[in-house]
Amino acid sequence: MNTTGRIFRLTTFGESHGEAIGGVVDGMPAGIPIDMDFIQQELNRRRPGQSSITTARNEADQVELLSGVFEGKSTGCPIGFIVRNTNQHSNDYDNMRQLFRPSHADYTYTQKYGLRDHRGGGRSSARITISRCVAGALAKLALRQIGIQVTAYTSQVGDIALENDYRQYDLSITESNAIRCPDQQKAQEMIELIQQVKAEGDTIGGIITCVIKGCPVGLGEPEFGKLHAQLGAAMLSINAVKGFEYGAGFAGVTQRGSEQNDVFTIGHDSAVTTKTNHSGGIQGGISNGQDIFFRVAFKPVATLLREQDTIDINNQPTKLTAKGRHDACVLPRAVPVVEAMAAITILDAYLVNKAVI
């Protein structure tokens, strides 16, 4: 399953230490202006080496579009693209060739396929999310045409969390700090925590919140294609994701139905709206026109720069001390990946809805 989507479809290829990461986007609507600066900017938000709290791997992550674009607009044909790997330090992983790293895909890949690429995790590496960000940027360009905007931000690192929901923050300042948090004071606390954890050779996780504005009523299906199920599957396919909740989520179980129900009313423009949005913009698996918002939980990065117990390929106990350049916290670079997968999912659902109608 290297392909996602029904009409707007992404197929990816590549490994962490191979020649390139790339993919093919099919189903891109024709006539969409292709802003290469914007696409590159989206990759720059994900790229390594962008701050002191991210991995030091120095990759330009320069995207090359190979097809599907003519005179600055999408043609409706498949858009092929590659991003070449230029700064691999494969020797950093030589001591892992015979070992299974704790909480990585090493063991499961070996059992499933009979072999594995030990260099940075190969196909299981988070570097593969480059392809998602390219496709997500293309999806965002298409969504612009219909007034849909996708914004994500870091809302928690460790036990440091934002205390209010997204409506209480200016999300336009999210990119103003290294952790991508719209609360400057909390952002500094998060950064200091990551720096402390990194100095200890350890890692830490957190939560990313995503908000989708301008989504029309009617996206999603009433049974197995529920919109929140599609978004959940997209988010849970991202490396290191351990949880997904939308709307009031798990916190809502402490309330009663009389507190949770989103009462319908008529807005100032005579349109149907709701007084609250505990449903997170989705009811019965179908978008209701309100903001869609959800949260994605990321585990601590599994690679620790300290000694750990493990076993080797002969099932013998041994010790592992990882080398190389790794993130102490994946959150800053995962924000654009969450946005990308949300944009891909929403555009695909929009195109499916148009096809059904």
Side-chain angles (χ1 to χ4, degrees):
M1 290 297 294
N2 298 302
T3 300
T4 185
R6 292 166 291 178
I7 293 181
F8 185 83
R9 296 169 62 87
L10 166 66
T11 300
T12 74
F13 67 84
E15 296 83 37
S16 175
H17 287 234
E19 290 297 318
I21 307 297
V24 176
V25 171
D26 203 358
M28 180 71 174
I32 303 297
I34 301 301
D35 184 342
M36 287 302 300
D37 289 338
F38 173 75
I39 296 172
Q40 188 59 54
Q41 177 186 340
E42 292 295 276
L43 282 181
N44 292 345
R45 296 171 67 211
R46 194 224 69 95
R47 68 180 290 271
Q50 59 185 274
S51 76
S52 62
I53 59 172
T54 62
T55 173
R57 180 169 176 168
N58 184 21
E59 292 277 7
D61 286 356
Q62 190 72 38
V63 63
E64 303 173 42
L65 299 189
L66 306 177
S67 61
V69 178
F70 179 67
E71 294 183 341
K73 293 185 178 181
S74 58
T75 64
C77 298
I79 298 177
F81 63 87
I82 60 170
V83 174
R84 300 183 187 277
N85 294 324
T86 61
N87 193 235
Q88 310 99 310
H89 288 183
S90 300
N91 292 339
D92 288 343
Y93 297 88
D94 284 349
N95 67 321
M96 302 180 190
R97 183 186 292 270
Q98 306 295 320
L99 307 179
F100 295 131
R101 295 171 296 171
S103 289
H104 283 77
D106 300 348
Y107 175 75
T108 52
Y109 264 54
T110 302
Q111 294 302 306
K112 182 176 178 67
Y113 299 110
L115 51 84
R116 83 172 203 262
D117 183 348
H118 68 283
R119 305 166 303 167
R123 184 68 174 156
S124 68
S125 169
R127 185 154 179 77
I128 308 305
T129 58
I130 285 175
S131 297
R132 301 173 183 229
C133 286
V134 175
L138 290 168
K140 283 184 177 183
L141 291 174
L143 291 175
R144 278 183 186 176
Q145 309 302 308
I146 50 178
I148 299 177
Q149 181 181 11
V150 181
T151 306
Y153 61 92
T154 299
S155 54
Q156 183 169 341
V157 173
D159 59 359
I160 301 172
L162 298 189
E163 298 166 356
N164 302 309
D165 70 28
Y166 71 92
R167 290 167 293 185
Q168 307 303 314
Y169 299 101
D170 179 2
L171 301 188
S172 68
I173 68 171
T174 296
E175 293 292 315
S176 65
N177 54 71
I179 193 63
R180 297 196 162 93
C181 172
D183 183 312
Q184 296 292 2
Q185 180 177 343
K186 290 288 187 180
Q188 186 57 39
E189 293 176 17
M190 292 173 180
I191 291 170
E192 290 173 359
L193 176 58
I194 294 172
Q195 290 171 334
Q196 175 190 337
V197 167
K198 182 178 181 180
E200 296 169 354
D202 215 332
T203 62
I204 196 162
I207 295 174
I208 289 174
T209 297
C210 186
V211 182
I212 304 170
K213 290 181 173 290
C215 191
V217 180
L219 305 193
E221 316 301 329
E223 181 59 8
F224 296 113
K226 289 180 169 65
L227 186 59
H228 58 269
Q230 295 180 49
L231 287 167
M235 298 306 138
L236 289 164
S237 73
I238 300 172
N239 307 59
V241 169
K242 287 295 186 180
F244 170 85
E245 64 173 358
Y246 74 102
F250 289 105
V253 303
T254 62
Q255 296 181 318
R256 301 192 178 189
S258 56
E259 298 173 287
Q260 275 283 301
N261 282 354
D262 295 319
V263 176
F264 289 106
T265 186
I266 303 299
H268 66 276
D269 55 356
S270 299
V272 174
T273 184
T274 56
K275 291 184 178 180
T276 56
N277 190 19
H278 300 298
S279 301
I282 302 171
Q283 293 174 325
I286 299 172
S287 61
N288 67 0
Q290 303 303 304
D291 292 348
I292 296 172
F293 65 94
F294 57 85
R295 290 164 297 282
V296 186
F298 285 79
K299 72 173 183 176
V301 176
T303 300
L304 310 183
L305 297 181
R306 57 164 63 177
E307 187 176 81
Q308 297 183 83
D309 293 321
T310 189
I311 62 171
D312 62 22
I313 59 175
N314 298 312
N315 296 338
Q316 297 301 307
T318 186
K319 301 286 186 181
L320 166 67
T321 300
K323 301 177 182 178
R325 302 156 296 175
H326 307 281
D327 289 293
C329 178
V330 74
L331 274 294
R333 297 174 60 214
V335 166
V337 181
V338 168
E339 288 184 2
M341 292 307 296
I344 290 169
T345 303
I346 293 298
L347 178 59
D348 187 50
Y350 177 83
L351 294 173
V352 168
N353 199 52
K354 285 191 64 176
V356 170
I357 293 174

